[in-house]
Amino acid sequence: MLNLSKFLLTARNEINSIKNYVELDDLRVKYLGKNSFLNSQFKEMIKLDKQDRVKLGYILNRVKNNLLKIISRRKYKLDNLFCKNNLFLKKKIDISLPGRQIKNGSLHPVNILINLSKNFFSSLGFSFVFGPEIEDYYHNFDALNIPYCHPSRSKKDTFWFNNKYLLRTQTSSVQIRFMKKSSPPIRFISFGRVYRNDCDRLHTPMFHQIEGVMVDKNISISNLKWIINNFLHTLFGNKKYCIRFRPSYFPFTEPSVEVDIKINNDKWLEILGCGMIHTNVLNNVNINSDIYSGFAFGVGIERLAMLYYNTKDLRVFFENDIRFLKQFK
Ligand code: DAH
């Protein structure tokens, strides 16, 4: 007994005086290892009768647990000491080191074009409205005067969920939703994703459109022309560009026009459709077409981005290649 308490005392003093992890581990081996005094005492136990063996076993285990506690307390102290020395004393923060570079993300070109368009139209008093991407056939087709047999309704071209719901094929559906619940004067744009089963250099199954509507008394096609001209001039005024208004057909406008743009003598590229809102559409949203008239337009945003950034294939906008996307600021 006496021997053991003396042993414990010496061990504690020795352990508490060491200054590093290596020494601490050496002491752990010395006091608890295979060749330690304690282990030899455990071995001696077999020679004793059962009663004495239990007694000695109890004492030896208490000594062992005490040693383990002393060692782990010392380790904790060494840890603290280590942190203190390294963080606050030895390794002082070197304020002359260059900072770590934080890489900022950049806006997607489609968002950049949306923002430029928003700036232009809000300066003319247009508000922003939104509609659902999962649309029903009434808002996407019927109310827009699109006949039942129109190809855009086909299962081949359009992503239908069932007989009633589809992924909207155009933001023109928002015209109906918004005009139904407001009365003239009306002036808004809506932008967002639309979906069509199409994929080539100029088409992707998902793309973005900006829809614009203006309804009031005495609105004419010259107002439409003025706005489109100025919109395109704002975007492309610093480039050599030509615009042409080409007669076209949309069931929801009469007359209907498509607008093409040519930059730096490159090929013409169609960027938007527009026209005077068809009286059937105005009637569908309870606007009196004898008093009010209006125009609407729908712009393909990726097409604008192609021209703005001079890219030849709009699919690159959706490949998410960071090397391509980070060029746009
Ligand atoms: N919705 C048409 C399309 O996706 C574009 C369009 C044409 C929108 C004429 C209009 C419009 O508002 O008046 O091709």
Side-chain angles (χ1 to χ4, degrees), residues 9 44 51 61 88 101 111 115 119 121 124 147-148 158 172 227 231 237 263 270 277 302:
L9 199 69
E44 289 296 309
Q51 232 178 5
N61 274 317
F88 306 120
Q101 197 191 0
N111 279 331
N115 288 344
N119 287 348
F121 286 105
L124 294 179
Y148 190 68
T158 296
S172 303
I227 284 197
F231 173 53
I263 302 225
E270 181 211 319
I277 302 176
E302 284 75 10

Side-chain angles (χ1 to χ4, degrees), residues 16-252:
N16 284 342
S17 68
I18 58 97
K19 297 270 179 305
N20 62 50
Y21 294 110
V22 180
E23 283 175 19
L24 184 64
D25 202 55
D26 288 346
L27 288 187
R28 183 188 59 77
V29 174
K30 176 176 167 188
Y31 286 111
L32 293 167
K34 244 194 332 198
N35 299 323
S36 63
F37 166 72
L38 199 62
N39 210 31
S40 69
Q41 295 300 300
F42 273 113
K43 280 182 189 154
E44 289 296 309
M45 278 167 51
I46 347 166
K47 296 178 192 159
L48 302 176
D49 59 37
K50 196 178 167 200
Q51 232 178 5
D52 289 345
R53 203 175 342 147
V54 173
K55 261 193 209 157
L56 187 66
Y58 174 75
I59 294 167
L60 290 179
N61 274 317
R62 279 192 60 179
V63 173
K64 183 181 169 186
N65 287 338
N66 268 328
L67 277 174
L68 285 170
K69 251 186 229 158
I70 295 167
I71 290 174
S72 92
R73 263 193 228 127
R74 189 64 198 165
K75 179 167 179 303
Y76 180 74
K77 277 209 175 134
L78 286 181
D79 287 345
N80 282 346
L81 214 68
F82 179 81
C83 282
K84 243 191 202 164
N85 286 347
N86 283 292
L87 287 180
F88 306 120
L89 298 175
K90 283 199 196 120
K91 289 192 187 158
K92 277 194 186 146
I93 294 168
D94 181 354
I95 53 165
S96 67
L97 281 175
R100 286 204 189 106
Q101 197 191 0
I102 296 171
K103 287 189 181 151
N104 286 331
S106 54
L107 284 178
H108 191 280
V110 167
N111 279 331
I112 295 174
L113 266 294
I114 290 179
N115 288 344
L116 291 171
S117 310
K118 276 164 74 177
N119 287 348
F120 173 79
F121 286 105
S122 64
S123 74
L124 294 179
F126 282 70
S127 55
F128 309 144
V129 303
F130 298 94
E133 286 176 31
I134 297 178
E135 198 38 288
D136 57 52
Y137 65 81
Y138 175 76
H139 291 92
N140 200 91
F141 297 121
D142 289 8
L144 285 161
N145 200 35
I146 297 179
Y148 190 68
C149 57
H150 196 276
S152 64
R153 295 204 191 219
S154 84
K155 291 213 163 67
K156 200 167 83 16
D157 292 336
T158 296
F159 301 106
W160 288 91
F161 291 101
N162 50 36
N163 289 340
K164 185 170 177 197
Y165 292 104
L166 65 150
L167 285 173
R168 69 177 176 193
T169 62
Q170 49 188 355
T171 43
S172 303
S173 54
V174 188
Q175 287 187 25
I176 304 300
R177 289 190 173 274
F178 194 73
M179 285 198 289
K180 241 185 350 190
K181 55 180 186 192
S182 42
S183 46
I186 292 171
R187 210 181 330 178
F188 67 84
I189 61 163
S190 180
F191 43 88
R193 287 182 276 259
V194 298
Y195 302 84
R196 292 178 200 176
N197 190 9
D198 233 347
C199 193
D200 59 33
R201 191 176 71 84
L202 296 175
H203 301 89
T204 42
M206 183 284 294
F207 62 103
H208 297 76
Q209 285 188 330
I210 300 177
E211 191 78 16
V213 168
M214 187 163 183
V215 181
D216 203 346
K217 289 177 184 158
N218 302 321
I219 295 289
S220 76
I221 201 160
S222 54
N223 300 123
L224 170 63
K225 242 187 124 180
W226 186 91
I227 284 197
I228 299 296
N229 271 331
N230 277 277
F231 173 53
L232 296 178
H233 185 74
T234 306
L235 292 181
F236 302 112
N238 58 352
K239 297 186 161 76
K240 216 179 113 208
Y241 75 102
C242 309
I243 302 173
R244 77 178 172 201
F245 288 76
R246 183 166 41 78
S248 184
Y249 170 76
F250 297 104
F252 33 92

